[in-house]
Amino acid sequence: MPKQAKELKALQVKNLSAPGRHAVGGVNGLCLNITETGARSWILRATVGLKRRHIGLGSFPEVSLAQARDLALDMRRTISTGVDPVVERREQREALAVATKQSTTFEQAFKRFFEEKIEGELRNAKHLKQWQSTLQTYAYPVLGEKAVADIVVEDVLEVLRPIWATKNETASRVRQRIEAVLDWSKAMGLREGENPARWKGNLQQLLPSPNKVQKENRYPAVALDDFATWFRLLRTRDGIAARALEFLTLTAARSGEVRGARWDEIDLQTGIWTVPAERMKAGREHRVPLSTAAVDLLEAMPRMLNCDVVFPSPKNVVMSDMTISAVMRRIQESEVKAGRPGFLDARSRRPAVPHGLRSSFRDWAAERTTYPRDMAEIALAHTVGSEVERAYRRSDMLERRREMMEKWAAFVHGRDERR
């Protein structure tokens, strides 16, 4: 018979410290393994058939001596029935992996993906919120409770088709985000095969091109020939929201950038408004050269006590997007009430909206000036050129853009000074 190890007491086991494998007795083959770093764990040495096995039973002291002996004894009984515990554990892990793969829903996968990757990459709170809100609004009703392993092209199309033509920019982002979640799911072993949300060579063959759809559904803009009249009517309107819309027009900025503008971002002496990266759509700081008209508007604005917001709401906080839109809507309603058509987009014949003013600025730069295309794109804070080109472009054309914004201000005031 093999020599039986001395049965150690709990205190004796606790006092073991030398690296190596220490037999503790009580059950044949039960040892406490101590590594060079001092980590300690239980191991049962046993022969299964013709194979020598070292079976882990947990770490010490999380698993006590008494618990380790009970586990080792149960393992010995299992081996006596002809079952290999190592093989059994492997099969259990594989079965668990299959069960997890089959049961992980899109919503569960997205939450993990969002926590483990997106939150670590994005710093802009608005963009983080958009990731969550777009998928909750559009993807969850169709995909939320569906296992990621089972999602197919038809499921993705069910999400996208209702909004592809009417909200194409949003739909395109939803598609990209679904694709990212499913790519992550595949990398995590939760699904196999091609990504059903991939565009190239896949949905590209089933949905209209975003470029064509977006051209048809872009934000309605004020026609250039009507712009001076519209701007004159805007300037007759009272209220901070009207001044915010006026400033938005003069700077060709986005509504959120204007509504969130703070006095400490603006240098009236140099005429520069520096929008921090966290408030920009592209996540990069953006400098806006202010025309004389824009500076005059700011100098005439009252500064609220204990409020750094340039265009605050009545509660001295950032006003809502709808507040600015309401000013534009009232101008349109007044024109229609007076029997005039108002300010309709030249292509869609829909009433112009605040974001469409950026399109008006872009049309003006392209059609009525000879300024370079890139300059207008930079003014709109659009990404220009490839990553390599952007890496070598050290200037944001600030002073040249200052001249362009002065010309734009002259145009909107009805003084169309051609370059």
Side-chain angles (χ1 to χ4, degrees), residues 218-235:
R218 70 174 192 168
Y219 292 97
V222 176
L224 294 182
D225 290 340
D226 298 333
F227 211 97
T229 301
W230 175 83
F231 193 72
R232 176 177 54 79
L233 292 174
L234 170 61
R235 297 193 73 202

Side-chain angles (χ1 to χ4, degrees), residues 247 250-253 263 265-275 287-296 298 398-399 401-403 405-406 409:
F247 187 71
L250 292 170
T251 57
W263 286 111
E265 298 171 358
I266 296 169
D267 187 336
L268 292 175
Q269 296 298 316
T270 61
I272 297 174
W273 172 29
T274 304
V275 189
R287 295 196 300 171
V288 181
L290 300 174
S291 63
T292 302
V295 171
D296 289 345
L298 291 173
L398 181 70
E399 292 309 317
R401 286 193 289 124
R402 187 186 298 279
E403 175 191 315
M405 299 315 290
E406 288 290 352

Side-chain angles (χ1 to χ4, degrees), residues 172-416:
S172 295
R173 289 175 181 166
V174 170
R175 184 204 66 75
Q176 292 167 359
R177 289 164 185 170
I178 293 174
E179 182 181 19
V181 174
L182 296 182
D183 273 345
W184 177 88
S185 299
K186 183 176 181 179
M188 295 297 292
L190 300 177
R191 64 171 284 118
E192 298 174 355
E194 296 296 325
N195 192 321
R198 191 184 73 252
W199 177 253
K200 191 172 182 180
N202 184 42
L203 295 181
Q204 180 185 36
Q205 311 302 325
L206 303 172
L207 293 169
S209 168
N211 290 335
K212 293 182 179 179
V213 175
Q214 287 173 8
K215 285 180 181 177
E216 295 174 1
N217 291 283
R218 70 174 192 168
Y219 292 97
V222 176
L224 294 182
D225 290 340
D226 298 333
F227 211 97
T229 301
W230 175 83
F231 193 72
R232 176 177 54 79
L233 292 174
L234 170 61
R235 297 193 73 202
T236 65
R237 296 265 164 177
D238 294 328
I240 292 178
R243 300 291 74 76
L245 182 57
E246 184 179 343
F247 187 71
L248 180 152
T249 305
L250 292 170
T251 57
R254 295 181 178 88
S255 172
E257 295 158 11
V258 170
R259 290 183 292 109
R262 309 182 74 84
W263 286 111
D264 57 10
E265 298 171 358
I266 296 169
D267 187 336
L268 292 175
Q269 296 298 316
T270 61
I272 297 174
W273 172 29
T274 304
V275 189
E278 60 267 23
R279 291 208 304 105
M280 292 300 300
K281 182 177 180 180
R284 296 189 302 272
E285 181 183 276
H286 179 55
R287 295 196 300 171
V288 181
L290 300 174
S291 63
T292 302
V295 171
D296 289 345
L297 183 157
L298 291 173
E299 288 181 336
M301 284 292 299
R303 297 202 185 192
M304 304 302 177
L305 187 64
N306 298 322
C307 178
D308 194 36
V309 179
V310 179
F311 302 103
S313 71
K315 294 183 179 180
N316 280 356
V317 295
V318 175
M319 70 173 64
S320 73
D321 191 27
M322 294 304 296
T323 305
I324 289 183
S325 297
V327 176
M328 205 158 184
R329 187 173 61 252
R330 293 189 190 104
I331 293 175
Q332 176 67 17
E333 290 170 351
S334 295
E335 289 296 289
V336 172
K337 188 175 181 180
R340 293 184 287 272
F343 304 96
L344 307 178
D345 184 90
R347 295 180 180 85
S348 68
R349 306 308 296 169
R350 291 182 293 162
V353 296
H355 199 77
L357 299 174
R358 288 164 55 82
S359 295
S360 299
F361 169 81
R362 188 67 188 86
D363 290 344
W364 166 81
E367 298 174 14
R368 305 204 177 184
T369 79
T370 58
Y371 288 112
R373 172 187 176 279
D374 283 5
M375 189 184 299
E377 292 296 303
I378 292 173
L380 292 168
H382 286 165
T383 300
V384 179
S386 66
E387 289 187 16
V388 174
E389 289 173 324
R390 294 196 298 274
Y392 281 95
R393 183 187 296 114
R394 298 185 181 278
S395 171
D396 60 1
M397 302 184 184
L398 181 70
E399 292 309 317
R400 293 188 68 192
R401 286 193 289 124
R402 187 186 298 279
E403 175 191 315
M404 180 170 64
M405 299 315 290
E406 288 290 352
K407 297 287 185 182
W408 168 243
F411 170 78
V412 303
H413 282 86
R415 302 187 300 272
D416 191 0

